[in-house]
Amino acid sequence: MLELIIVEFLKWWTTAWVQDWVNRAHVFSTGILNGPALPPIEVNQNEDFGSLSSCNIIGSCNADPSGRMCVSIACCRVPKHTTDWDKLLRFGLIQLDKICDNDYSLVYFHHGYDKLNKPPWKWLITCYRSFDRKFKKNIKAFYIVHPSTRLKMVFRFMKPLVSIRAHSKIVYCHRLSELAQHVMLDRLDIPAEVKLHDKNLRARSVDNITNTTGLGNCGRFEQALSDIPAFSTPGCPGRVFGGSLLDAEGVPQVLTDCIQYLSLPKNIREEGLFRRCGNATELKAIKECYNTGQDIDLNNYCPHTIAATLKTYLRELHTPLLTFEAYPTISSWTDFSSETQSALSRKLLENVPPVHYSCLRELVLFLNKVVNSASQNLMTSQNISIVIGPNLTWSRHTITTLSDINNINSFTQYLIDNPQLFERETNCCVPAAQESECES
């Protein structure tokens, strides 16, 4: 009799659980896929988001090795007992609007998601339908860090309701070491809570292994408890990508080759140049050829792959092209008046090392030519600065914020729009100020 009661209860519970998920799927699919179009969200650029901005929920950096901007969202930083979810949505739309005009990657840190900051289902549906096509189309990779079993079940359950292409962009990273295979962790704003959670997970995993195998605290398991591996470029001697410009004699060959190839009339007019992503496999092969000194013919590749190669080279430099020392000034660029900006730009160019100046000059003059063909390639100086700027400078010790990115992009646009800053031909790649000193 008792067994019969248990069996009947399990049947009832299973039926109720399945019916609940069917109802959720119906609401989700009706609300998202078949619901009426929502009016555009009223966004006021002057709205006060001080409390949300200070939480650093959304961040961006040039941490994606493929050349895309990387946007991070930290669930643990969402204020507890949040009630004004619509304000949070408006804040997110403003923060992501400029970044998502081009291809980007999204890193979502799920740790910290609990009932105190759990958004309602209807708000999630509103979010999905509020982000227009550019947000959904331009996202090329969606990394979910420390996903819970429930979250993976939800995404798996929703798989039939979304396109195969959209679902293929999702990558689960159960450890930060797995995320390091895709992005540069040392440039990513990872919350301290997430780092601690990851360390506890790794320690727990090691304990389980040692308890099961009886190996104890042997070296390889102690190594697993070391600091999180960072996808960084420590400046490898003899390597082109990840090396230092100070080891080069003049403008590096890879920079010259890329600029010469992209300057060809048919290539410089390519629509979306520097904005569209290149082929990742071909990019890897090109890097290997330059790093090993093999001959390579760039004419065998498309312009977008070569443009991605140029961005990757700049991003992986041990010292950024505009140097670490220039970062504090550039990251506050929009705070200065136009007269001050003119003087500061010349001062910054005078202070960069000679080989950095020479490379920067070649790059900026080339980008100015790209902008002059904007009627064909649709890449204005503003568009170019958004995709190139974050690869020219970054901080040595601090995480680059969205505000910093905007200032870096503004400075990059200023250089592109003012090529006369580089008009004087220098001798042996020496900046103008140093050249005049040598002549005297």
Side-chain angles (χ1 to χ4, degrees), residues 64 66 68-71 103-107 139-141 143:
D64 194 316
S66 62
R68 301 183 289 256
M69 284 298 296
C70 187
V71 179
D103 295 343
Y104 69 100
S105 301
L106 179 63
V107 178
I139 182 172
K140 300 304 177 184
Y143 304 108

Side-chain angles (χ1 to χ4, degrees), residues 293-432:
Q294 301 178 40
D295 293 333
I296 183 172
D297 185 3
L298 297 187
N299 292 307
N300 296 328
Y301 303 93
C302 75
H304 298 297
T305 298
I306 304 306
T309 301
L310 179 56
K311 290 191 295 182
T312 301
Y313 173 74
L314 296 173
R315 182 175 56 260
E316 293 187 1
L317 285 173
H318 182 230
T319 301
L321 194 58
L322 287 170
T323 71
F324 292 117
E325 290 73 19
Y327 180 83
T329 301
I330 297 175
S331 61
S332 305
W333 187 250
T334 56
D335 296 338
F336 305 115
S337 65
S338 57
E339 293 80 6
T340 305
Q341 288 179 349
S342 178
L344 280 176
S345 60
R346 297 183 183 279
K347 185 65 175 178
L348 289 173
L349 294 179
E350 290 175 2
N351 290 335
V352 297
V355 66
H356 282 247
Y357 175 86
S358 180
C359 294
L360 184 62
R361 180 180 184 276
E362 294 296 321
L363 177 66
V364 170
L365 294 182
F366 161 67
L367 294 178
N368 184 261
K369 294 179 181 178
V370 175
V371 172
N372 291 337
S373 301
S375 57
Q376 290 87 28
N377 58 39
L378 306 182
M379 297 301 292
T380 63
S381 60
Q382 181 180 11
N383 294 337
I384 285 286
S385 66
I386 290 174
V387 294
I388 292 292
N391 300 306
L392 299 182
T393 186
W394 53 86
S395 174
R396 190 197 304 266
H397 304 295
T398 61
I399 297 299
T400 303
T401 65
L402 283 170
S403 176
D404 295 338
I405 290 289
N406 292 334
N407 280 289
I408 293 171
N409 295 344
S410 297
F411 177 75
T412 305
Q413 183 178 357
Y414 183 87
L415 293 182
I416 297 173
D417 290 338
N418 295 275
Q420 67 274 11
L421 293 170
F422 301 89
E423 277 184 352
R424 174 177 288 190
E425 190 82 28
T426 60
N427 185 28
C428 299
C429 307
V430 180

Side-chain angles (χ1 to χ4, degrees), residues 216-287:
N217 295 324
C218 62
R220 57 178 173 171
F221 295 119
E222 290 181 349
Q223 181 64 29
L225 293 176
S226 61
D227 292 337
I228 300 165
F231 193 139
S232 60
T233 54
C236 307
R239 291 179 64 87
V240 176
F241 286 81
S244 172
L245 280 177
L246 298 179
D247 299 330
E249 297 180 0
V251 179
Q253 189 64 39
V254 60
L255 195 62
T256 301
D257 291 347
C258 290
I259 290 177
Q260 288 180 351
Y261 171 84
L262 294 173
S263 296
L264 296 175
K266 65 175 183 178
N267 296 333
I268 203 169
R269 292 194 293 263
E270 184 74 20
E271 182 177 334
L273 189 65
F274 287 105
R275 180 176 59 83
R276 295 182 180 176
C277 292
N279 185 289
T281 303
E282 293 180 348
L283 174 59
K284 184 177 180 180
I286 293 173
K287 290 176 59 177

